């Protein structure tokens, strides 16, 4: 086991940090994250309040990501040749402060609002991940290409294709990164940026999202985004097959 991988496992086990409001745990809402072959095998919980997010909700992000290949100093999250490129999967907990009193991702009539849910995904990819790893605002490129809505049990679902900024970057190009992120993701390998790749490059992803209200003003969501390649979508199907039995009863 490499030292960087050991640090990543320790960092993930140490979450949430003391003093953070893990409102999902307090409400007794389970957020199972299955281990699939190729994942790191540990789960992190990050808690963000509305003031920090500058959005009218608190957020709990529960996730895992790709493992560290043997001898590598970084997760396969940073490897463009891997189906784990830019992948993290797990769950979101959202505590809404909307003036109308509705849960995030829903109208006052209880209808699903996919645009609100995609605001969370955009915030995660543009700001809470790439942004915290130094991505300049001009390269924060999240945009939705297509959405197909559905229903699975009592969950509202969406099959989403989108473009996200990669977390892969040259360290010299990072603008004020949060260095604690490198304890989980490792240090990006500059060799992955050969062949003309640029830091924080746009990457086409496709994935799934399911959500439902789980309490007053509380929404639980689960899913993940994966490279829109045959290998990435094969991984997506494996992850989804592991998630569904944990959530859809």
């Amino acid at each position: 086991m490499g030292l960087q991988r050991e640090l990543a496992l320790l960092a993930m086990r140490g979450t949430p940090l003391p003093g953070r409001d893990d409102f999902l745990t307090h409400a007794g809402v389970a957020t199972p994250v299955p281990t699939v072959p190729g994942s790191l095998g540990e789960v992190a919980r990050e808690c963000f309040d509305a003031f920090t997010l500058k959005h009218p909700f608190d957020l709990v992000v529960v996730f895992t990501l790709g493992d560290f290949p043997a001898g590598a100093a970084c997760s396969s999250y940073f490897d463009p040749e891997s189906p784990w490129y830019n992948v993290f999967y797990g769950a979101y907990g959202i505590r809404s402060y909307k003036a109308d009193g509705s849960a995030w991702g829903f109208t006052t009539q209880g209808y699903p609002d996919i645009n609100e849910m995609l605001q969370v995904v955009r915030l995660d990819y543009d700001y809470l991940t790439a942004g915290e790893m130094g991505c300049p605002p001009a390269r924060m490129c999240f945009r939705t290409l297509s959405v197909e809505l559905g229903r699975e049990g009592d969950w509202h679902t969406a099959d989403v294709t989108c473009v996200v900024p990669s977390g892969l970057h040259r360290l010299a190009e990072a603008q004020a990164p949060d260095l604690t992120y490198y304890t989980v993701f490792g240090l990006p390998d500059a060799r992955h940026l050969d062949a003309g790749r640029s830091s924080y490059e746009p990457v086409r992803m496709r994935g799934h999202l399911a959500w439902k209200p789980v309490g007053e003003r509380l929404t639980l969501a689960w899913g993940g985004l994966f490279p829109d390649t045959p290998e990435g979508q094969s991984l997506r199907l494996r992850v989804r097959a592991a998630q569904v039995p944990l959530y859809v009863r």
Side-chain angles (χ1 to χ4, degrees), residues 14 21 44 59 87 116-117 126-127 145 162 181 215 221 235:
D21 183 8
L59 181 66
V87 170
E116 284 192 350
M117 294 306 299
D126 271 357
Y127 294 93
L145 301 178
C162 56
Y181 273 58
L235 173 60

Side-chain angles (χ1 to χ4, degrees), residues 36 159 206 208 226 230-244:
V36 301
D159 185 310
R206 181 183 173 191
H208 56 274
F226 305 83
E231 296 79 12
Q233 291 306 295
S234 176
L235 173 60
R236 174 202 175 188
L237 294 177
R238 294 196 300 275
V239 169
R240 192 175 189 284
Q243 288 177 313
V244 166

Side-chain angles (χ1 to χ4, degrees), residues 9-93:
L9 294 171
L10 288 171
M12 296 177 83
R13 290 171 191 149
T15 59
L17 296 175
R20 300 295 177 90
D21 183 8
D22 187 349
F23 55 85
L24 280 186
T25 296
H26 298 158
V29 178
T31 54
V33 179
T35 297
V36 301
S39 67
L40 185 54
E42 190 57 75
V43 177
R45 299 181 72 90
E46 296 285 355
C47 306
F48 304 91
D49 60 35
F51 180 81
T52 300
L53 298 174
K54 303 298 187 289
H55 282 68
F57 56 79
D58 297 328
L59 181 66
V60 176
V61 182
V62 187
F63 72 95
T64 193
L65 68 161
D67 207 344
F68 288 60
C74 64
S75 162
S76 51
Y77 167 90
F78 286 129
D79 184 357
E81 303 305 317
S82 169
W84 291 91
Y85 186 41
N86 292 300
V87 170
F88 45 85
Y89 67 87
Y92 292 126

Side-chain angles (χ1 to χ4, degrees), residues 160-176:
V160 180
T161 303
C162 56
V163 173
V164 308
S166 173
L168 177 62
H169 62 280
R170 294 181 177 85
L171 295 176
E173 295 181 41
Q175 296 186 1

Side-chain angles (χ1 to χ4, degrees), residues 173-219:
E173 295 181 41
Q175 296 186 1
D178 181 341
L179 300 182
T180 63
Y181 273 58
Y182 296 129
T183 62
V184 172
F185 292 84
L187 294 173
D189 190 335
R191 289 175 295 181
H192 291 322
L193 286 157
D194 293 342
R197 290 186 179 273
S198 60
S199 295
Y200 313 108
E201 67 177 355
V203 179
R204 182 181 171 111
M205 307 281 280
R206 181 183 173 191
H208 56 274
L209 181 68
W211 72 102
K212 71 176 183 179
V214 291
E216 185 177 0
R217 292 179 177 264
L218 290 184
T219 302

